[in-house]
Amino acid sequence: MYSPVNNDKPISFGADGAPFSEQFQDIYFDSDSGCQQSSAVFIQGNDIFNRIVSSKSPLTIAETGFGSGLNFLLTLQVYQKAQQQLALQKNADNTLLPLTFISVEKYPLTKEQLEKSLAILPELAEYAQSLVEQYPDKCEQMWQGKFFGGKVTLQLYFADAAEAFSALKTKKSGLVDAWYLDGFSPRKNPDMWHAPLFEQIARLSKEQASVATFTVAGLVRRQLAEIGFRLEKKATGGKKKQMLTGIFQQGKNSGKGYRLRPSINKPHQVAIIGGGIASACAAYALTRLGVKVNLYCQDSTVAQGASSNAIGALYPLLHQQADDISLFYQQAFNRAKTLYQQVSDEGHHFPHQWCGLLELSYKESLEKRQQLFEQLKSWPKTLIHGVNAEQASELAGLKLDFGGLFMPGAGWIAPGELVKTLFSAAQATNRLKIKADIKIDHIQQNEDLSWQLRSEHASFNEKVLIICGGAESIKLNIADQLPLSSVRGQVSSMPTNPETGKLSTVLCHKGYLTPEHKGLHCIGATFEKNSFDTDAKAEDDAYNLAMLEKCLPGVSQWGTEDVIASKARLRCMTPDHIPMVGPMPDIQAHKTIYAHLAKDKNWRFNQATPVIDNLYLMTGLGARGLCSAPLLADILAADICGTPYPVDSKMLFNLAPNRFIIRDIIKGKS
């Protein structure tokens, strides 16, 4: 059992009443900014308000350095605000789930010192009074306080942080949801910020646990990264100009080492092969994080592949139940809308319209599917909901014979112009160079683990390489080891007329029909597996028109003679229809290291994923690249820059290039 250590060193109080530690020659909190800095770092840095409101299970917050109790009082304040917000919502349970706040303090203040320290914070007076009233007269080992009728519990250990945390019991899934790493700075109090503390933080953290701290010292960053936190610096006000936040996502003792991704030092420059929506989003994300990008495009200009279609629909793939693929596309759709709106708001304009999308129930099986959607209620109505034929007709602006599933936030985008806009926005950072008319047909790793890129007439050396070439990736050596396939799709552009010009939402049947843009509608698209043929075919235009008439009879009077333009492009597909993003796996090393999975799929492996150094992929986007590319680019940027992943570990592995190898090993196919 740990031993309590009382504060035998005096504290002093400034002219404004703020407490000052004579032992550590440091302030307890920034009196100039009152509560603002502590709130920005610990409350906002851990997104505490939203997590209290939305959490499906009781939250546990852990803190190093209770000090004056300021962070705890701010947590009480935000808990009360969350309670008040829920009470105002109709049909909402006006109670919150319990919250446990665990804190440690090796040198505790006396009750009198605590009361005097908090007296200069009148905005927290009601919470401070409750704390002081319960605070023990003598600080011995552990004290527990109850607040808001027992809904919030404070467990305060008077001991060294690592020692106190080591005595806490935890389930396999962890104990702590959020960490406040407070206390005097590492320079002034090095005894607290040592390896045993970080070992306990790793042991107690739940998957996706957050951390926030006022210190950005290299010692702290390195140790947090070592135990599995993905970190990023953020600006803050007050005397501290920066703060550090992070998410616990790559813990090394999960027993599933094949889910761990390599950590690299953030490079100054990377190379990207590609010229479509994937590489545009990747270039945008990386340049925004300060990374220079050399883009190698095989065409004379960008957006000549699948991204060159005149109009493309933006909407998520949703199944009746919230399965892995649907959850990915739901998150990807939300991220895509946010990014595209952000780019537009920044003044980089491209044609688009969030006019909604109707998936029409034009046959009996689709009517049953619609009924299941409405019965299961897996998704919010703001994302997707059923409509009848009358409602569908009103939404579409055309007379329709069928109801369907309506996605009000969906719409259409001009893909080529979007891609060019994203590249333009990336170039505005002065960190993107586009090298056109260079088809990279071979890559080779050098002895220093950098890459040589070869084209027909030249070669280039790059330290870090990212392959975003869509279906062309399938032909490139090394990448050709992955189970990617090419699917040809042809889109037909049709002239608008007084009737089709009324169309006010995207219609999806077995194909799709878009609203008018620049006098055109797009219909399509064909689906031809294992083809690299990009020549337009008259029979494919006929197929698109026949499918439109079969599913939506009478909506248009178009014939093949009305086709203004046809375009055949290639989609890059994966076997499970989920894209892939991340480091290129060393396939043979996987088969050697993880061979025992063939006998026991639950066998614990802590060995991290073997990869080919400095080689990354973002491919397999299929027919929904407009939807998935922004989220995938965020994941790629996190891989490259060491920042928090925007998805949890399960989804991250669902997107990992090595998932197919692991599945084959488990099935005994390797």
Side-chain angles (χ1 to χ4, degrees), residues 111 475 593:
K111 192 167 189 172
K475 303 174 184 177
I593 293 173

Side-chain angles (χ1 to χ4, degrees), residues 495-508:
T496 192
N497 57 53
E499 186 63 22
T500 59
K502 298 175 185 177
L503 180 62
S504 55
T505 190
V506 180
L507 298 181
C508 282

Side-chain angles (χ1 to χ4, degrees), residues 209-471:
S210 63
V211 66
T213 178
F214 61 88
T215 180
V216 295
L219 168 73
V220 175
R221 296 200 315 270
R222 288 190 295 272
Q223 293 194 88
L224 284 171
E226 177 63 26
I227 62 174
F229 279 89
R230 311 283 298 187
L231 304 166
E232 60 182 329
K233 292 181 184 179
K234 295 181 179 178
T236 186
K239 293 181 179 179
K240 305 286 186 181
K241 300 304 180 185
Q242 287 185 310
M243 59 182 280
L244 194 67
T245 63
I247 305 292
F248 188 67
Q249 294 177 313
Q250 292 281 282
K252 297 183 178 180
N253 297 312
S254 67
K256 295 182 178 180
Y258 49 82
R259 292 190 175 190
L260 299 181
R261 296 190 171 209
S263 296
I264 66 171
N265 293 324
K266 180 180 175 180
H268 295 294
Q269 180 175 299
V270 301
I272 295 177
I273 298 175
I277 187 64
S279 51
C281 288
Y284 182 88
L286 288 166
T287 54
R288 288 300 172 105
L289 290 173
V291 179
K292 293 182 178 180
V293 174
N294 284 336
L295 184 96
Y296 294 87
C297 177
Q298 69 177 16
D299 300 305
S300 58
T301 185
V302 297
Q304 297 304 299
S307 297
S308 65
N309 288 328
I311 308 172
L314 173 64
Y315 65 107
L317 171 62
L318 300 175
H319 294 153
Q320 293 97 316
Q321 294 183 317
D323 55 9
D324 288 346
I325 191 169
S326 300
L327 289 171
F328 164 70
Y329 276 107
Q330 178 195 27
Q331 185 172 344
F333 173 70
N334 291 335
R335 175 56 182 144
K337 284 285 298 288
T338 299
L339 174 65
Y340 299 154
Q341 193 59 53
Q342 172 189 320
V343 170
S344 180
D345 291 344
E346 289 173 353
H348 304 283
H349 300 300
F350 55 93
H352 68 285
Q353 189 177 13
W354 309 133
C355 57
L357 179 143
L358 265 170
E359 287 190 339
L360 292 167
S361 302
Y362 62 90
K363 59 183 180 180
E364 184 178 355
S365 61
L366 293 177
E367 289 177 355
K368 292 180 179 178
R369 175 175 178 265
Q370 180 178 338
Q371 291 169 5
L372 278 173
F373 264 89
E374 294 169 349
Q375 291 169 8
L376 294 172
K377 299 179 180 178
S378 299
W379 309 104
K381 288 187 175 181
T382 53
L383 180 64
I384 188 170
H385 62 267
V387 294
N388 58 32
E390 182 180 354
Q391 293 168 323
S393 298
E394 183 176 349
L395 288 166
L398 299 176
K399 177 66 173 69
L400 298 174
D401 296 329
F402 315 105
L405 293 166
F406 184 60
M407 301 185 196
W412 64 264
I413 291 176
E417 291 168 86
L418 168 64
V419 168
K420 292 173 183 176
T421 296
L422 287 168
F423 278 129
S424 177
Q427 284 179 314
T429 66
N430 294 318
R431 299 190 185 104
L432 172 63
K433 292 182 180 179
I434 297 177
K435 302 174 183 290
D437 282 323
I438 298 176
K439 178 176 173 57
I440 303 300
D441 49 32
H442 187 84
I443 60 174
Q444 180 176 327
Q445 193 163 40
N446 301 315
E447 290 186 3
D448 65 356
L449 303 181
S450 64
W451 289 91
Q452 184 180 66
L453 287 59
R454 297 178 187 170
S455 69
E456 184 179 0
H457 302 293
S459 66
F460 311 87
N461 281 304
E462 300 283 357
K463 183 176 180 180
V464 176
L465 176 60
I466 304 165
I467 300 172
C468 294

